[in-house]
Amino acid sequence: MTKTLPRGFRALIACTAIAATPVAAQAEQFINILTGGTSGVYYPIGVGLSKIYADGIEGARTQVQSTKASVENLNLLQQGKGEFAIALGDSVKYAWEGNADVGFAAPLDKIRGIAAAYPNFIQVAASADSGITTVADFKGKAISVGAAKSGTELNARAIMEALGMTYEDFSKVEYLPFAESVELMKNRQLDATLQSAGLGVASLKDLATSVPTTIVSIPAEVAEKLGAPYLAATIPAGTYEGQTADIPTLAVGNFFLTHEGVDEETAYQMTKLLFENLPELVAAHQAASAITLDSALNGMPVPLHPGAERYYREVGLIK
């Protein structure tokens, strides 16, 4: 039909057709955030970051994945099955070294750092009628040490070793996530649960409001014996229902991580938006109140991602 039209008009039609052709959509950026169990602290922090990244990174589609936490998160990052993860510092160190005993068959050399996060407090709760007041009272008791080879369980192993104990000293050992451990305690099937998480973790709040509970002490000398990344810490009085005194315990830093396959701009934006939206993260969970730009590089066990490094140079943290 256009062959019968004047040449100039045919050209106008052609130009109009080209202009009407949709511009190719910008490639979608998928960000899978690896967290932990839904009753822990990693998960709500991940949910908060998911919204921040979805709103702040053009073309981003985010997802929050509940996992068994640190060890699984690190292995998934190495496999490229997540773009952002939270993990405990000792687990990150073991992953970088390739410690097979704790779940890393070879060094996880693709992991890259984003930022130091908040500390995990190793929190032990026992039923009041168990008689447990310190971890040295665990002998002959039924204990949940966290999901097998999770960051929590690695902490439990280290603490027992420092005390000259093994799991064989317990009457029963359960390898369960936080919420499941609490349910068994409510049903009087466990004497205590060890949970490595931010203060005020939902699972222990649930336990303390449901049954008489003792928050168990871990002596400061355990931290001295274990050394970095373990530090002596305190669970302030009133953190959990019925807890009337400060309780000595240990803390281990958490880290925000990515992998080398994530492009520099995305890693830059993830780092920048993290620190520009800290109030939103604190609203997701109070533990995030301990995240600061000043401490962002403290104790980082792996190399920084170039995108994160670019942000830190921009704000003057790296010269």
Side-chain angles (χ1 to χ4, degrees):
M1 179 179 176
T2 55
K3 288 181 180 178
T4 63
L5 297 174
R7 180 179 299 173
F9 194 55
R10 292 203 305 268
L12 176 62
I13 292 174
C15 289
T16 303
I18 292 170
T21 303
V23 177
Q26 181 176 339
E28 190 172 55
Q29 174 65 54
F30 185 62
I31 301 174
N32 186 29
I33 299 172
L34 305 168
T35 60
T38 55
S39 62
V41 176
Y42 285 7
Y43 189 81
I45 294 287
V47 170
L49 283 168
S50 173
K51 184 176 188 313
I52 290 167
Y53 292 160
D55 292 345
I57 300 177
E58 187 177 356
R61 184 164 64 90
T62 61
Q63 172 182 296
V64 181
Q65 183 175 342
S66 175
T67 68
K68 293 179 181 178
S70 297
V71 176
E72 183 177 7
N73 290 352
L74 292 162
N75 281 312
L76 288 171
L77 271 189
Q78 178 74 9
Q79 297 162 25
K81 294 181 178 178
E83 286 65 46
F84 188 98
I86 314 173
L88 275 168
D90 54 344
S91 297
V92 180
K93 178 176 179 288
Y94 292 141
W96 188 252
E97 294 168 351
N99 189 322
D101 289 340
V102 297
F104 304 111
L108 303 192
D109 57 355
K110 296 180 181 178
I111 296 169
R112 296 293 182 267
I114 291 288
Y118 59 92
N120 256 25
F121 288 75
I122 299 170
Q123 300 166 80
V124 183
S127 60
D129 59 7
S130 69
I132 297 172
T133 60
T134 177
V135 284
D137 299 329
F138 274 9
K139 287 188 178 180
K141 304 294 185 179
I143 314 293
S144 175
V145 294
K149 293 189 176 180
S150 63
T152 289
E153 200 255 318
L154 297 185
N155 294 162
R157 284 197 221 180
I159 291 166
M160 293 308 113
E161 184 177 344
L163 290 168
M165 298 167 62
T166 70
Y167 293 167
E168 292 180 0
D169 292 311
F170 307 161
S171 64
K172 179 182 181 181
V173 182
E174 291 284 1
Y175 298 89
L176 294 171
F178 297 174
E180 287 88 335
S181 300
V182 165
E183 288 307 309
L184 286 189
M185 287 192 66
K186 289 181 186 178
N187 295 329
R188 299 173 182 265
Q189 294 175 270
L190 279 177
D191 294 308
T193 173
L194 186 148
Q195 305 194 359
S196 184
L199 291 175
V201 61
S203 53
L204 295 186
K205 281 191 169 184
D206 175 30
L207 177 66
T209 55
S210 302
V211 296
T213 302
T214 300
I215 303 301
V216 176
S217 70
I218 304 176
E221 53 263 31
V222 174
E224 294 170 12
K225 187 167 185 178
L226 289 173
Y230 292 92
L231 300 169
T234 300
I235 302 172
T239 301
Y240 299 104
E241 180 130 347
Q243 182 201 341
T244 58
D246 291 349
I247 302 296
T249 189
L250 309 184
V252 182
N254 285 294
F255 291 87
F256 294 132
L257 305 156
T258 186
H259 64 80
E260 66 178 13
V262 172
D263 68 79
E264 181 179 325
E265 180 62 23
T266 300
Y268 168 80
Q269 290 294 340
M270 290 195 299
T271 311
K272 176 178 165 61
L273 290 168
L274 162 66
F275 288 106
E276 289 184 349
N277 293 275
L278 287 177
E280 286 81 353
L281 272 194
V282 175
H285 199 286
Q286 185 61 32
S289 61
I291 301 170
T292 68
L293 182 58
D294 287 344
S295 62
L297 302 178
N298 289 359
M300 178 61 71
V302 296
L304 284 174
H305 191 287
E309 183 175 340
R310 175 179 143 202
Y311 173 72
Y312 294 129
R313 290 189 184 281
E314 187 176 278
V315 296
L317 204 60
I318 296 177
K319 304 300 183 186

